[in-house]
Amino acid sequence: MTYKYNNVYIEDAFTIGGPYESNGPIGIYLSKRYTKDLYFNETSWEKAETKILHESIFNLLKNNNLFDNDIDLIISGDLQNQISSSNYAIRNFNIPFLGIYNACATISEGLIIASNFIESNNNKRIIVSTSSHNMMSEKQFRNPTEYGAPKPDTATFTVTGATSVLVTNNKSKIKIESSTIGRVMDLNVKDVNNMGAVMAPGAGETIIKHLKDLNRDNNYYDLILTGDLGIYGEKILKDYLKQKYKFTLKNYKDCGTIIYDISKQPVFAGGSGPACSALVMFSYIIDLMKEGKYKKVLFVPTGALFSPTRVFQKESIPSIAHAISLEVVK
Amino acid sequence: MTYKYNNVYIEDAFTIGGPYESNGPIGIYLSKRYTKDLYFNETSWEKAETKILHESIFNLLKNNNLFDNDIDLIISGDLQNQISSSNYAIRNFNIPFLGIYNACATISEGLIIASNFIESNNNKRIIVSTSSHNMMSEKQFRNPTEYGAPKPDTATFTVTGATSVLVTNNKSKIKIESSTIGRVMDLNVKDVNNMGAVMAPGAGETIIKHLKDLNRDNNYYDLILTGDLGIYGEKILKDYLKQKYKFTLKNYKDCGTIIYDISKQPVFAGGSGPACSALVMFSYIIDLMKEGKYKKVLFVPTGALFSPTRVFQKESIPSIAHAISLEVVK
């Protein structure tokens, strides 16, 4: 499903990264950097993640001189079971809440719901948030890192960070121009350490659907930016599009390979997690858009709908990807 | 946040219940009944839940002579970690998907998002789905039932069932007239066997907000129907509204006490789970609306945003409730 919008803008965003993200290539673009450890003065990984998610919302409000009752709605989701990072961060705000989950594609789902609510003139200001935490994710989805389980090169490294985005009908420099909601794909991949392979087909289908629905060609976007496919997933996506659609991706990058220096940091095939694409897009890329380097960006966060329980039951891993077109306003 | 709609209707719904639900007071109103066991010919509780969720979507399409490409969007969520029941059921359909999570208030969240998407004329037909499974829930949130852990009277019994609702801009007998999105409440309750107490304040705040925003009084609705507070939660809600707002609830019922015969079935304080309010509303209550017994119903599903991990970490349990006004079209 593809939507066009005339009235939806990004007013501001607040991005927070942990030590790996702060010391990586996009570190200087982040709103706030934690460089010491992954606890952030909390007593559990779950609480640490909640703390930075709360902080991203709190600072977004503060920086824009807004109070809770200036915000119509907050839409948020994360990887913690029962999206607890969102539930617990948001109980401290007096703002109506919708909880969402599309794994690492969560930020795009939130932006699409927010855009539709704003475009229909029912809302003026919506905050869309997401977070992820490396240690929380490893513990919940694989093994606590203390076990020291070895990983193959195709594994990705969950980003520790939080992003909150203020979506509004107030004209600003960056517009949400259109969006495409993806469908659940499953190509029978069962390898929990190769999420790039799980997610690449979903990304490919959503990109093709978006371009086709809006009758756009390969040159329309200055940048097509997928979520977190990593170095192997990037290659699979390119091959998939070439073989299935004879389509050659141009001006293409992946957030998972932007957020870290893969040659130097111990991150395997690159970054992942809902905060990966959210941090890259709403710190580094949005700054480059404001500077005029990119005018039209297709942002395609990708999500592996991975359930450890289901994988133990020998199921394959489904995936999803949604596309958002962001444009610099003339 | 309260919205009014002019153009949003319930075209149809398909409801499925397990043995306890099929043998309970609303059994005869369900679209499909499983009366043998809770496996539904599958090999795990997770797969059993996914099967009935898939079946509810499949039959809703079939009964209305619709194909995948007639549906613009499917919005679904459930209690399984990573909302896997939804992810795995929906991978079999070629329909764009948004995953949501507001615990047992999920059906209301889905209906509100669907209503806004349809009201803005961007969509014609959206399916909103949810499911829950008693054994899956007990295993994931508390203990596998095989352990035989005793429970206090305030515990509720998770409903096994699935509901899919077809929301549309085609005029039908039942209209979604307005909605109110609730905020996350936390009154510091930590008892995982007393969800009624956790959720009652959230329900109370959302009911008051809805009536106030639309300037409606105590007599406006023929029925105010909360999600799954159970017999103790019902009482807490009434007390909460009386003490805090001097407000006396009239024409009030709770889905958790409707779905089972509490005097005869072994269900403690009543039903719970996302399928509880969804089954009661879209089988029994909607039939009574069509027959003219109720003309205006305020449907208020309630959700305990309960995370076992967080409770082990000594956190309290937040809750949420959203309200949907359903009216018989004249």
Side-chain angles (χ1 to χ4, degrees), chain B residues 114-324:
Chain B
S115 299
N116 277 278
F117 275 51
I118 285 185
E119 182 76 6
S120 68
N121 291 316
N122 276 326
N123 290 107
K124 285 185 175 165
R125 278 201 192 87
I126 297 177
I127 291 177
V128 178
S129 300
T130 196
S131 64
S132 49
H133 189 286
N134 184 278
M135 294 294 199
M136 194 304 296
S137 280
E138 289 302 313
K139 177 182 131 186
Q140 181 182 289
F141 288 104
R142 296 175 190 91
N143 295 296
T145 49
E146 292 85 347
Y147 290 8
K151 287 195 173 190
D153 289 345
T154 54
T156 47
F157 187 86
T158 304
V159 166
T160 302
T163 298
S164 289
V165 184
L166 185 58
V167 186
T168 164
N169 60 1
N170 286 329
K171 197 171 174 181
S172 79
K173 279 190 99 165
I174 311 289
K175 180 182 174 173
I176 300 185
E177 185 267 339
S178 60
S179 72
T180 298
I181 303 182
R183 64 186 179 88
V184 181
M185 298 279 297
D186 192 333
L187 267 77
N188 206 32
V189 180
K190 297 185 180 185
D191 183 354
V192 303
N193 281 312
N194 194 352
M195 291 303 179
V198 169
M199 298 188 292
E205 293 295 332
T206 299
I207 292 167
I208 294 291
K209 175 98 176 96
H210 177 83
L211 296 176
K212 204 179 139 196
D213 281 354
L214 296 174
N215 201 19
R216 290 175 182 173
D217 69 14
N218 218 350
N219 298 307
Y220 186 86
Y221 289 102
D222 304 325
L223 176 66
I224 293 181
L225 185 71
T226 52
D228 41 8
L229 300 180
I231 47 176
Y232 299 98
E234 277 184 355
K235 199 182 163 312
I236 296 169
L237 171 62
K238 287 178 190 166
D239 289 350
Y240 182 87
L241 289 175
K242 202 170 265 178
Q243 284 185 27
K244 187 164 174 191
Y245 294 104
K246 295 191 172 57
F247 181 90
T248 307
L249 263 183
K250 281 176 68 176
N251 309 325
Y252 169 64
K253 283 185 181 168
D254 181 69
C255 296
T257 62
I258 293 174
I259 196 162
Y260 297 124
D261 183 340
I262 295 177
S263 66
K264 290 183 191 154
Q265 295 183 288
V267 296
F268 308 100
S272 62
C276 178
S277 59
L279 282 189
V280 172
M281 181 66 228
F282 292 102
S283 64
Y284 175 56
I285 300 295
I286 212 158
D287 276 11
L288 293 183
M289 289 181 80
K290 286 177 187 164
E291 288 166 15
K293 175 153 186 211
Y294 298 122
K295 289 202 173 64
K296 292 175 179 170
V297 173
L298 188 66
F299 179 46
V300 192
T302 51
L305 303 171
F306 163 41
S307 152
T309 308
R310 293 304 185 103
V311 169
F312 291 146
Q313 292 176 6
K314 304 201 192 310
E315 290 266 21
S316 53
I317 306 168
S319 79
I320 197 157
H322 308 300
I324 318 253

Side-chain angles (χ1 to χ4, degrees), chain A residues 253-304:
Chain A
K253 283 184 180 168
D254 180 70
C255 295
T257 62
I258 293 174
I259 196 163
Y260 297 125
D261 183 341
I262 295 176
S263 66
K264 289 181 189 154
Q265 294 182 289
V267 295
F268 309 98
S272 62
C276 178
S277 58
L279 281 189
V280 172
M281 181 67 228
F282 292 101
S283 64
Y284 174 57
I285 301 293
I286 212 159
D287 276 12
L288 293 182
M289 289 181 81
K290 286 178 187 163
E291 288 165 14
K293 178 154 184 213
Y294 297 122
K295 289 202 173 62
K296 292 174 179 169
V297 173
L298 188 67
F299 179 45
V300 191
T302 51

